[in-house]
Amino acid sequence: MTGLLIDDADGVRTLTLDRPHRRNAIDVELWKTLRAALDDAGRDRSVRALVLTGAGGAFCSGADISKELSSAHPLYRMRPLTDVTLLLHELPVPTVAKVTGVAVGAGWNLALGCDLVVATPEARFSQIFTRRGLSPDCGGSWLLPRLVGLQQAKRLALLADTIGAEEARALNLVTWVVDGTEVDAFVDGLTARLVAGAPVALAQTKALLNENTDRTLREALAGEARAQAANFATADVREAYAAFADRRDAHFTGRWAVPGTSAGRSEDET
């Protein structure tokens, strides 16, 4: 796909933004391509974790505004960005942003939309929107206050300061800062741990954490009960108990295994 590299290895799908001449700024066609790639990753049951990164020493410098603005109404132009943001947020597998170089504007918010963020010390971040006469998009106005609190979110968004990786980590906007010579191996080890996890349980956990940021305790508890029902309907719970008893690593598959069905039978076989 033009502007996007897709690689599959051991249950991990890596999406690499590949427009290094524009520091991986995302143009109209790449937004559409990224939307299709995320939709496919969400439907492909062989994908157990997803990594989003950029080529050429940058993560993403935001939306590409180098070309003449489209004559289409801005609400229509925003739809691909909105679709990508929602798909990334709701993807049923864990997501990791691997950030080297710049991540600004929509590019930074795509990184924040991932479940975990790994950055190198050289990474730089900015909510650059107000410098362009714009306001945050790609979920930034929703994500930032929840991650750093309202006052720091306003500081970052109103002043559009550029901050480094260590400050971003101190603000809980980066999960780990890892040297550039070690970042690939670190992300490989991290995703291997995620792939080894119980896929249904991970999907339920991610959904609960995302949903419960603005729910009451009563609503959260009801959601947790529904999630546990889904978890107990898989073979993974039985496998976890067996592995604990046998003092071995569990092998999780996410297969459906409720009473009255053949344990381990996949839904594709029913």
Side-chain angles (χ1 to χ4, degrees):
M1 294 181 179
T2 303
L4 186 69
L5 305 177
I6 301 177
D7 178 70
D8 287 310
D10 301 321
V12 180
R13 178 160 297 176
T14 300
L15 303 181
T16 304
L17 303 173
D18 188 32
R19 300 184 75 229
H21 61 291
R22 295 291 304 158
R23 294 196 297 179
N24 302 319
I26 306 177
D27 62 7
V28 172
E29 290 307 311
L30 184 50
W31 282 115
K32 294 177 181 177
T33 301
L34 186 56
R35 177 177 60 188
L38 289 170
D39 183 62
D40 182 68
R43 297 172 186 273
D44 189 340
R45 293 177 61 193
S46 70
V47 177
R48 300 278 289 266
L50 183 135
V51 175
L52 182 63
T53 190
F59 182 76
C60 176
S61 59
D64 192 341
I65 60 173
S66 65
K67 300 177 181 178
E68 185 178 347
L69 290 176
S70 167
S71 60
H73 193 285
L75 288 177
Y76 297 127
R77 297 205 305 269
M78 288 301 297
R79 281 181 180 174
L81 285 70
T82 299
D83 291 344
V84 165
T85 302
L86 285 173
L87 282 166
L88 184 62
H89 181 73
E90 296 175 354
L91 206 68
V93 298
T95 56
V96 178
K98 181 167 66 175
V99 181
T100 60
V102 297
V104 301
W108 188 10
N109 291 337
L110 285 178
L112 294 179
C114 292
D115 302 315
L116 303 166
V117 181
V118 182
T120 61
E122 298 78 21
R124 294 293 180 268
F125 305 88
S126 176
Q127 293 288 320
I128 201 170
F129 299 97
T130 57
R131 295 191 215 168
R132 305 288 184 257
L134 299 169
S135 50
D137 56 28
C138 277
S141 65
W142 189 89
L143 289 161
L144 279 172
R146 285 162 173 76
L147 292 169
V148 302
L150 184 57
Q151 194 170 70
Q152 286 295 337
K154 288 179 177 178
R155 190 262 289 194
L156 293 168
L158 295 175
L159 298 177
D161 288 338
T162 297
I163 65 173
E166 288 296 347
E167 183 176 357
R169 179 170 61 176
L171 289 169
N172 295 322
L173 297 170
V174 163
T175 322
W176 297 278
V177 177
V178 180
D179 188 84
T181 61
E182 302 172 359
V183 68
D184 290 341
F186 182 90
V187 171
D188 287 347
L190 174 61
T191 52
R193 291 176 61 190
L194 294 170
V195 167
V200 173
L202 290 178
Q204 295 294 324
T205 299
K206 173 176 175 175
L208 286 170
L209 293 173
N210 284 341
E211 293 164 0
N212 289 343
T213 55
D214 53 4
R215 286 184 174 179
T216 65
L217 176 59
R218 184 176 296 277
E219 291 169 332
L221 290 170
E224 289 176 356
R226 288 192 295 270
Q228 292 294 41
N231 293 325
F232 277 111
T234 70
D236 289 341
V237 175
R238 235 177 288 175
E239 165 65 7
Y241 280 99
F244 178 77
D246 297 341
R247 297 186 179 182
R248 59 174 175 81
D249 291 334
H251 176 64
F252 295 123
T253 63
R255 290 194 180 96
W256 179 257
V258 296
T261 66
S262 298
R265 178 185 294 174
S266 73
E267 61 188 43
D268 294 333
E269 297 171 318
T270 60

